[in-house]
Amino acid sequence: MTSIGGAEMVDWNLAVATATRLVRPGPEVSKDEARAVVAELRRHAKSSEEHVRSFTGMGTEDTHDTPVLVVDRAGWIRANVAGFREILKPLLDKMQDKRGGGPGGTVLGAVGGKVTGVELGMLLSFLASRVLGQYETFAPATRALPAGANGGGRLLLVAPNIVHVERELDVDPHDFRLWVCLHEETHRTQFTAVPWLRDHLEGEIQSFLGETEVDPMTVLERIREAAQSFAGGRPEGEEGEGDEGSRSIVELVQTPAQREILARLTAVMSLLEGHADFVMDGVGPDVVPSVEEIREKFKERRARGASRLDQALRKLLGLDAKLRQYRDGERFVRAVVQEVGMDGFNRVWTSPNTLPTKAEIAKPADWVARVHRKGD
């Protein structure tokens, strides 16, 4: 809903308030336990730096310029609202100019920023209890959300979610916390060791948003179609593989140009997530004694999902696609490293031209053939 109105159509403060009010409470911990968890996550984040650098060969001193923030669910919500507000600003300004005084503008003006803020808040309340960590790079630096002095982002570790999952899986909490930190530290290393990566991603996102149909009534109609598919507009079992009933909101609001951009973004995100999973499991046996148990139980948890409503929301929001990114990306990284070694794989970070395409994620040998030419 944030992409159908002008700037005043998004009440960002209400989005934060709604999300923090609706988000599920975290696990019960005493103050002493909470302080101990925060301290341990900070220690593990620090120790993970050297583990990840040594394993990947992606050495960089800029990591020290990006802070580690151990946050609760409300803190994660505030950080992501700030990021959304920054990344969506050009599109919302464009919508505001286009809306003017036409009939579409009248309709959307009546809806108002408060409704949009509530919609965004509901989405974030769903996500806030599920994210273990995140490298946030788009939100501007503030006192409450510091960032790297040279334009870097910040590493967020969501303490209550980590505690919740380690209890749910019944695994060693100290090992699990380090295991999570290895994954998230890999993301921080990706962005600090590859200076062009953040700008490349932002450029792709802005290109995607720039292709958005700015006629408010057209976009509103697409959102209505998405809502109908979620509500079960078709009888169960009638959806074909290409039907809209099986597609997410993101897919439903695409133009042909956006589909091309989204394919590139999907490939990059698969690479980043798969690389983090590969590193996490590669480092794990040396520093996380119970890594095999953790990994097996975590995979089962991913595959099992939760309630029917939870599964429906994940599908609608495109979260199933994110789970595929972990799996497909990890397979790509593993296959390439087996073929050309870690140094050969690291050519992927040379420039945007050496990033894998979506097709190459599925066929790693094609990427090797393209980037590692005969006689090179």
Side-chain angles (χ1 to χ4, degrees):
M1 292 290 286
T2 57
S3 61
I4 65 169
E8 79 278 6
M9 289 300 296
V10 183
D11 188 328
W12 299 104
N13 291 331
L14 183 57
V16 171
T18 300
T20 54
R21 185 176 69 254
L22 295 179
V23 69
R24 292 185 296 184
E28 292 186 7
V29 295
S30 67
K31 290 184 178 180
D32 289 342
E33 287 176 316
R35 282 192 289 265
V37 170
V38 170
E40 184 172 23
L41 287 173
R42 291 188 182 281
R43 290 196 304 271
H44 284 332
K46 180 64 178 176
S47 66
S48 294
E49 290 182 27
E50 185 54 39
H51 293 315
V52 172
R53 288 188 192 188
S54 177
F55 185 80
T56 64
M58 299 172 69
T60 171
E61 294 300 322
D62 289 340
T63 301
H64 302 296
D65 188 45
T66 57
V68 175
L69 306 178
V70 182
V71 299
D72 58 11
R73 291 170 178 176
W76 180 87
I77 288 168
R78 288 191 292 270
N80 277 268
V81 167
F84 285 157
R85 187 172 191 171
E86 184 72 13
I87 202 72
L88 291 173
K89 187 177 186 302
L91 175 61
L92 297 181
D93 289 345
K94 182 179 177 181
M95 291 290 183
Q96 173 66 16
D97 293 341
K98 179 73 174 180
R99 201 177 75 182
T106 302
V107 171
L108 292 177
V111 174
K114 294 192 180 301
V115 171
T116 310
V118 169
E119 294 283 352
L120 179 59
M122 292 172 64
L123 168 62
L124 290 173
S125 72
F126 174 79
L127 297 174
S129 61
R130 288 158 174 77
V131 177
L132 300 181
Q134 173 186 358
Y135 185 77
E136 205 296 312
T137 185
F138 295 119
T142 64
R143 184 176 180 179
L145 193 65
N150 296 322
R154 72 285 292 169
L155 180 61
L156 306 178
L157 297 171
V158 190
N161 295 350
I162 294 173
V163 172
H164 171 78
V165 174
E166 70 191 28
R167 290 180 178 178
E168 180 185 3
L169 298 181
D170 190 24
V171 294
D172 183 285
H174 310 292
D175 285 1
F176 183 75
R177 293 165 195 174
L178 176 55
W179 189 70
V180 171
C181 286
L182 288 170
H183 181 103
E184 302 307 332
E185 178 59 37
T186 303
H187 285 316
R188 183 163 70 149
T189 298
Q190 291 164 348
F191 281 90
T192 54
V194 186
W196 53 265
L197 183 58
R198 180 196 180 279
D199 289 342
H200 173 70
L201 274 178
E202 183 176 13
E204 291 281 59
I205 292 170
Q206 291 302 335
S207 295
F208 181 89
L209 296 176
E211 290 292 332
T212 300
E213 297 182 45
V214 296
D215 174 61
M217 295 306 294
T218 300
V219 179
L220 195 62
E221 176 64 19
R222 298 224 176 168
I223 295 296
R224 185 188 63 81
E225 292 173 3
Q228 284 185 343
S229 72
F230 176 54
R234 296 167 182 245
E236 187 173 351
E238 285 192 5
E239 297 95 338
E241 185 172 336
D243 290 336
E244 292 186 351
S246 63
R247 297 164 65 188
S248 70
I249 282 181
V250 173
E251 294 170 310
L252 285 169
V253 298
Q254 287 175 49
T255 65
Q258 284 177 313
R259 283 193 286 272
E260 294 182 8
I261 299 169
L262 189 62
R264 296 196 298 268
L265 279 170
T266 298
V268 175
M269 297 311 298
S270 296
L271 170 68
L272 298 181
E273 297 293 359
H275 183 236
D277 264 13
F278 178 78
V279 172
M280 176 173 62
D281 288 344
V283 174
D286 292 331
V287 298
V288 182
S290 60
V291 64
E292 291 187 9
E293 177 191 4
I294 291 173
R295 187 59 168 155
E296 185 62 30
K297 288 184 175 180
F298 199 76
K299 281 183 176 179
E300 290 177 0
R301 181 179 183 271
R302 278 181 178 173
R304 185 172 63 249
S307 67
R308 186 172 182 179
L309 175 60
D310 184 77
Q311 291 173 352
L313 284 169
R314 294 173 72 90
K315 191 169 187 177
L316 179 67
L317 298 173
L319 298 182
D320 283 346
K322 184 172 179 61
L323 295 182
R324 290 195 296 273
Q325 288 171 8
Y326 286 106
R327 182 192 65 222
D328 297 344
E330 195 273 342
R331 288 175 180 170
F332 170 83
V333 176
R334 186 174 300 279
V336 172
V337 171
Q338 288 176 346
E339 179 71 19
V340 296
M342 185 63 76
D343 288 343
F345 166 79
N346 281 341
R347 287 198 186 185
V348 78
W349 311 116
T350 303
S351 75
N353 292 329
T354 57
L355 291 172
T357 64
K358 188 176 180 180
E360 288 171 341
I361 288 289
K363 296 182 177 180
D366 290 353
W367 180 87
V368 173
R370 176 171 67 87
V371 176
H372 293 264
R373 302 181 187 281
K374 291 182 179 180
D376 188 8

mmCIF file of all heavy atoms in Angstrom, residues 218-235:
data_model
loop_
_atom_site.group_PDB
_atom_site.id
_atom_site.type_symbol
_atom_site.label_atom_id
_atom_site.label_comp_id
_atom_site.label_asym_id
_atom_site.label_seq_id
_atom_site.Cartn_x
_atom_site.Cartn_y
_atom_site.Cartn_z
ATOM 1 N N THR A 218 -5.005 2.437 -11.292
ATOM 2 C CA THR A 218 -4.454 1.197 -11.849
ATOM 3 C C THR A 218 -3.761 0.385 -10.779
ATOM 4 O O THR A 218 -3.961 -0.826 -10.662
ATOM 5 C CB THR A 218 -3.462 1.524 -12.983
ATOM 6 O OG1 THR A 218 -4.151 2.239 -14.010
ATOM 7 C CG2 THR A 218 -2.864 0.245 -13.573
ATOM 8 N N VAL A 219 -2.948 1.040 -9.985
ATOM 9 C CA VAL A 219 -2.229 0.333 -8.928
ATOM 10 C C VAL A 219 -3.212 -0.173 -7.878
ATOM 11 O O VAL A 219 -3.072 -1.276 -7.348
ATOM 12 C CB VAL A 219 -1.163 1.243 -8.298
ATOM 13 C CG1 VAL A 219 -0.426 0.511 -7.182
ATOM 14 C CG2 VAL A 219 -0.170 1.693 -9.371
ATOM 15 N N LEU A 220 -4.234 0.644 -7.572
ATOM 16 C CA LEU A 220 -5.239 0.224 -6.605
ATOM 17 C C LEU A 220 -5.946 -1.042 -7.087
ATOM 18 O O LEU A 220 -6.232 -1.952 -6.300
ATOM 19 C CB LEU A 220 -6.252 1.343 -6.403
ATOM 20 C CG LEU A 220 -7.169 1.223 -5.177
ATOM 21 C CD1 LEU A 220 -6.354 1.239 -3.894
ATOM 22 C CD2 LEU A 220 -8.188 2.348 -5.174
ATOM 23 N N GLU A 221 -6.204 -1.126 -8.387
ATOM 24 C CA GLU A 221 -6.845 -2.310 -8.946
ATOM 25 C C GLU A 221 -5.941 -3.533 -8.784
ATOM 26 O O GLU A 221 -6.405 -4.631 -8.489
ATOM 27 C CB GLU A 221 -7.154 -2.080 -10.432
ATOM 28 C CG GLU A 221 -7.736 -3.289 -11.158
ATOM 29 C CD GLU A 221 -9.087 -3.728 -10.632
ATOM 30 O OE1 GLU A 221 -9.750 -2.915 -9.952
ATOM 31 O OE2 GLU A 221 -9.485 -4.872 -10.905
ATOM 32 N N ARG A 222 -4.645 -3.356 -8.968
ATOM 33 C CA ARG A 222 -3.721 -4.483 -8.799
ATOM 34 C C ARG A 222 -3.686 -4.945 -7.346
ATOM 35 O O ARG A 222 -3.625 -6.145 -7.072
ATOM 36 C CB ARG A 222 -2.325 -4.074 -9.252
ATOM 37 C CG ARG A 222 -2.264 -3.707 -10.723
ATOM 38 C CD ARG A 222 -1.077 -4.308 -11.386
ATOM 39 N NE ARG A 222 -1.079 -4.027 -12.799
ATOM 40 C CZ ARG A 222 -0.039 -4.244 -13.582
ATOM 41 N NH1 ARG A 222 1.067 -4.732 -13.073
ATOM 42 N NH2 ARG A 222 -0.091 -3.979 -14.856
ATOM 43 N N ILE A 223 -3.714 -4.007 -6.438
ATOM 44 C CA ILE A 223 -3.745 -4.386 -5.027
ATOM 45 C C ILE A 223 -5.040 -5.140 -4.717
ATOM 46 O O ILE A 223 -5.055 -6.112 -3.960
ATOM 47 C CB ILE A 223 -3.621 -3.144 -4.132
ATOM 48 C CG1 ILE A 223 -2.245 -2.490 -4.311
ATOM 49 C CG2 ILE A 223 -3.835 -3.507 -2.671
ATOM 50 C CD1 ILE A 223 -1.090 -3.357 -3.866
ATOM 51 N N ARG A 224 -6.151 -4.698 -5.321
ATOM 52 C CA ARG A 224 -7.429 -5.377 -5.110
ATOM 53 C C ARG A 224 -7.360 -6.818 -5.620
ATOM 54 O O ARG A 224 -7.853 -7.752 -4.987
ATOM 55 C CB ARG A 224 -8.537 -4.619 -5.839
ATOM 56 C CG ARG A 224 -9.943 -5.178 -5.570
ATOM 57 C CD ARG A 224 -10.980 -4.533 -6.463
ATOM 58 N NE ARG A 224 -10.730 -4.825 -7.870
ATOM 59 C CZ ARG A 224 -11.098 -5.976 -8.451
ATOM 60 N NH1 ARG A 224 -11.690 -6.921 -7.745
ATOM 61 N NH2 ARG A 224 -10.846 -6.172 -9.715
ATOM 62 N N GLU A 225 -6.719 -7.025 -6.790
ATOM 63 C CA GLU A 225 -6.566 -8.380 -7.324
ATOM 64 C C GLU A 225 -5.751 -9.246 -6.368
ATOM 65 O O GLU A 225 -6.066 -10.425 -6.155
ATOM 66 C CB GLU A 225 -5.882 -8.325 -8.692
ATOM 67 C CG GLU A 225 -6.733 -7.687 -9.789
ATOM 68 C CD GLU A 225 -5.939 -7.507 -11.067
ATOM 69 O OE1 GLU A 225 -4.760 -7.933 -11.102
ATOM 70 O OE2 GLU A 225 -6.475 -6.946 -12.031
ATOM 71 N N ALA A 226 -4.698 -8.649 -5.796
ATOM 72 C CA ALA A 226 -3.868 -9.404 -4.861
ATOM 73 C C ALA A 226 -4.671 -9.790 -3.632
ATOM 74 O O ALA A 226 -4.586 -10.920 -3.139
ATOM 75 C CB ALA A 226 -2.641 -8.569 -4.457
ATOM 76 N N ALA A 227 -5.476 -8.858 -3.144
ATOM 77 C CA ALA A 227 -6.281 -9.135 -1.959
ATOM 78 C C ALA A 227 -7.292 -10.240 -2.247
ATOM 79 O O ALA A 227 -7.555 -11.105 -1.417
ATOM 80 C CB ALA A 227 -6.989 -7.865 -1.502
ATOM 81 N N GLN A 228 -7.882 -10.222 -3.452
ATOM 82 C CA GLN A 228 -8.846 -11.254 -3.808
ATOM 83 C C GLN A 228 -8.190 -12.628 -3.862
ATOM 84 O O GLN A 228 -8.752 -13.624 -3.412
ATOM 85 C CB GLN A 228 -9.492 -10.939 -5.159
ATOM 86 C CG GLN A 228 -10.541 -9.843 -5.092
ATOM 87 C CD GLN A 228 -11.221 -9.657 -6.421
ATOM 88 O OE1 GLN A 228 -10.733 -10.104 -7.453
ATOM 89 N NE2 GLN A 228 -12.361 -8.974 -6.413
ATOM 90 N N SER A 229 -6.968 -12.686 -4.408
ATOM 91 C CA SER A 229 -6.289 -13.978 -4.489
ATOM 92 C C SER A 229 -5.980 -14.500 -3.105
ATOM 93 O O SER A 229 -6.040 -15.697 -2.838
ATOM 94 C CB SER A 229 -4.998 -13.845 -5.309
ATOM 95 O OG SER A 229 -4.008 -13.147 -4.590
ATOM 96 N N PHE A 230 -5.631 -13.589 -2.180
ATOM 97 C CA PHE A 230 -5.333 -13.999 -0.809
ATOM 98 C C PHE A 230 -6.592 -14.475 -0.095
ATOM 99 O O PHE A 230 -6.577 -15.421 0.690
ATOM 100 C CB PHE A 230 -4.708 -12.833 -0.047
ATOM 101 C CG PHE A 230 -4.463 -13.127 1.408
ATOM 102 C CD1 PHE A 230 -3.730 -14.235 1.782
ATOM 103 C CD2 PHE A 230 -4.971 -12.294 2.390
ATOM 104 C CE1 PHE A 230 -3.489 -14.507 3.119
ATOM 105 C CE2 PHE A 230 -4.747 -12.561 3.722
ATOM 106 C CZ PHE A 230 -4.000 -13.669 4.092
ATOM 107 N N ALA A 231 -7.713 -13.824 -0.382
ATOM 108 C CA ALA A 231 -8.966 -14.155 0.288
ATOM 109 C C ALA A 231 -9.593 -15.439 -0.251
ATOM 110 O O ALA A 231 -10.606 -15.893 0.238
ATOM 111 C CB ALA A 231 -9.955 -13.000 0.148
ATOM 112 N N GLY A 232 -8.968 -16.017 -1.283
ATOM 113 C CA GLY A 232 -9.513 -17.271 -1.822
ATOM 114 C C GLY A 232 -10.527 -17.006 -2.896
ATOM 115 O O GLY A 232 -11.614 -17.582 -2.903
ATOM 116 N N GLY A 233 -10.208 -16.091 -3.818
ATOM 117 C CA GLY A 233 -11.136 -15.752 -4.881
ATOM 118 C C GLY A 233 -11.445 -16.910 -5.813
ATOM 119 O O GLY A 233 -12.442 -16.922 -6.494
ATOM 120 N N ARG A 234 -10.561 -17.933 -5.821
ATOM 121 C CA ARG A 234 -10.799 -19.105 -6.649
ATOM 122 C C ARG A 234 -11.023 -20.310 -5.744
ATOM 123 O O ARG A 234 -10.404 -20.405 -4.695
ATOM 124 C CB ARG A 234 -9.587 -19.390 -7.551
ATOM 125 C CG ARG A 234 -9.288 -18.303 -8.565
ATOM 126 C CD ARG A 234 -7.916 -18.533 -9.154
ATOM 127 N NE ARG A 234 -7.578 -17.482 -10.107
ATOM 128 C CZ ARG A 234 -7.402 -17.703 -11.404
ATOM 129 N NH1 ARG A 234 -7.536 -18.910 -11.894
ATOM 130 N NH2 ARG A 234 -7.085 -16.714 -12.208
ATOM 131 N N PRO A 235 -11.840 -21.226 -6.155
ATOM 132 C CA PRO A 235 -12.023 -22.446 -5.365
ATOM 133 C C PRO A 235 -10.708 -23.182 -5.227
ATOM 134 O O PRO A 235 -9.891 -23.179 -6.140
ATOM 135 C CB PRO A 235 -13.042 -23.262 -6.181
ATOM 136 C CG PRO A 235 -13.735 -22.260 -7.034
ATOM 137 C CD PRO A 235 -12.725 -21.187 -7.325
#
